[in-house]
Amino acid sequence: DVKVTQSSRYLVKRTGEKVFLECVQDMDHENMFWYRQDPGLGLRLIYFSYDVKMKEKGDIPEGYSVSREKKERFSLILESASTNQTSMYLCASSGRITGELFFGEGSRLTVL
Amino acid sequence: AQSVTQLGSHVSVSEGALVLLRCNYSSSVPPYLFWYVQYPNQGLQLLLKYTSAATLVKGINGFEAEFKKSETSFHLTKPSAHMSDAAEYFCAVSLTGANSKLTFGKGITLSVRP
């Protein structure tokens, strides 16, 4: 069964802390994505990557960075967490052609 | 650039009634279109997708959607709602071609009354 696995389902962090969200996919997909989901706003793209060591900004990259050192792994980093980054974070991957996304179960982050 | 409009944020139907969730898209080129479902505290699952083959697309759990180019629509339907269909539904569009990103609508919450 193909999977996208996010390392933490629930996290609670304090303002100013550095936060790492890890995502691993086992489908040999080239493309990986990080979205955040907020009520009434739907999914908004933070960063994406089309290949190892490549990254591109999405619609809301401010306050975030990413790392893709291996094809299967895509990490989202909050350098200094703030309360407005409290959200559900969803990782996804896709193959090169149709763009169909496969999602992880999400990481719900609360920043106090 | 592409975009998706899902009117309204909440739809409520009775069990056994028709489900109709609307989606209109904007795209400068022939699009790929998707419907995803999200159950509480889970990620998104693909319900169905349109990739320029048949305009009527059948998906999982009895859902289907019809691509209508003239109306730029891709509405999701199910003839008879079940309690287990209660979830949030997202329509998404991507451009054809390699490495195209998905753009999502804001989502619609479907409630099913007994």
Side-chain angles (χ1 to χ4, degrees):
Chain A
D1 195 19
V2 294
K3 281 193 87 168
V4 177
T5 303
Q6 295 184 229
S7 55
S8 304
R9 293 293 307 274
Y10 301 95
L11 305 94
V12 179
K13 298 293 182 181
R14 298 209 175 273
T15 301
E17 280 192 81
K18 191 169 187 176
V19 181
F20 291 89
L21 300 179
E22 304 284 343
C23 176
V24 178
Q25 52 96 4
D26 66 0
M27 294 168 279
D28 200 35
H29 280 163
E30 292 83 3
N31 308 326
M32 296 189 75
F33 304 82
W34 276 104
Y35 289 88
R36 67 175 280 176
Q37 182 181 13
D38 300 287
L41 297 178
L43 275 72
R44 293 180 291 169
L45 182 61
I46 304 171
Y47 267 97
F48 59 102
S49 169
Y50 288 146
D51 202 348
V52 176
K53 297 197 184 293
M54 289 181 61
K55 60 183 179 183
E56 294 196 36
K57 294 180 179 179
D59 301 318
I60 52 164
E62 295 78 19
Y64 304 94
S65 62
V66 290
S67 172
R68 193 165 181 203
E69 296 297 317
K70 294 184 177 182
K71 187 176 185 179
E72 67 271 19
R73 188 179 298 271
F74 194 37
S75 303
L76 180 69
I77 303 155
L78 288 66
E79 293 289 343
S80 178
S82 63
T83 55
N84 63 12
Q85 293 178 309
T86 292
S87 187
M88 169 73 94
Y89 290 88
L90 293 166
C91 176
S93 69
S94 71
R96 201 173 286 281
I97 304 303
T98 65
E100 174 187 339
L101 291 175
F102 294 83
F103 282 86
E105 292 197 319
S107 298
R108 186 168 294 280
L109 172 66
T110 301
V111 183
L112 303 176
Chain B
Q2 67 270 27
S3 66
V4 169
T5 301
Q6 294 183 254
L7 290 178
S9 60
H10 185 243
V11 169
S12 181
V13 301
S14 297
E15 192 172 21
L18 172 72
V19 175
L20 170 60
L21 304 180
R22 299 179 186 273
C23 173
N24 289 89
Y25 70 90
S26 171
S27 175
S28 57
V29 297
Y32 290 155
L33 293 160
F34 306 82
W35 275 99
Y36 283 85
V37 62
Q38 184 181 35
Y39 299 104
N41 296 316
Q42 293 187 24
L44 278 70
Q45 301 174 32
L46 182 68
L47 269 180
L48 49 81
K49 62 182 178 183
Y50 166 77
T51 56
S52 75
T55 56
L56 182 63
V57 182
K58 294 187 184 298
I60 62 172
N61 301 337
F63 284 93
E64 63 182 36
E66 186 173 7
F67 172 69
K68 291 187 176 180
K69 184 178 179 180
S70 61
E71 298 177 9
T72 61
S73 68
F74 191 57
H75 302 329
L76 181 71
T77 60
K78 181 174 181 177
S80 177
H82 191 272
M83 297 296 291
S84 62
D85 294 327
E88 191 162 15
Y89 292 79
F90 293 91
C91 182
V93 62
S94 74
L95 302 179
T96 53
N99 293 336
S100 185
K101 298 178 294 176
L102 261 66
T103 298
F104 285 86
K106 294 190 186 308
I108 298 176
T109 299
L110 175 65
S111 300
V112 182
R113 304 185 300 271

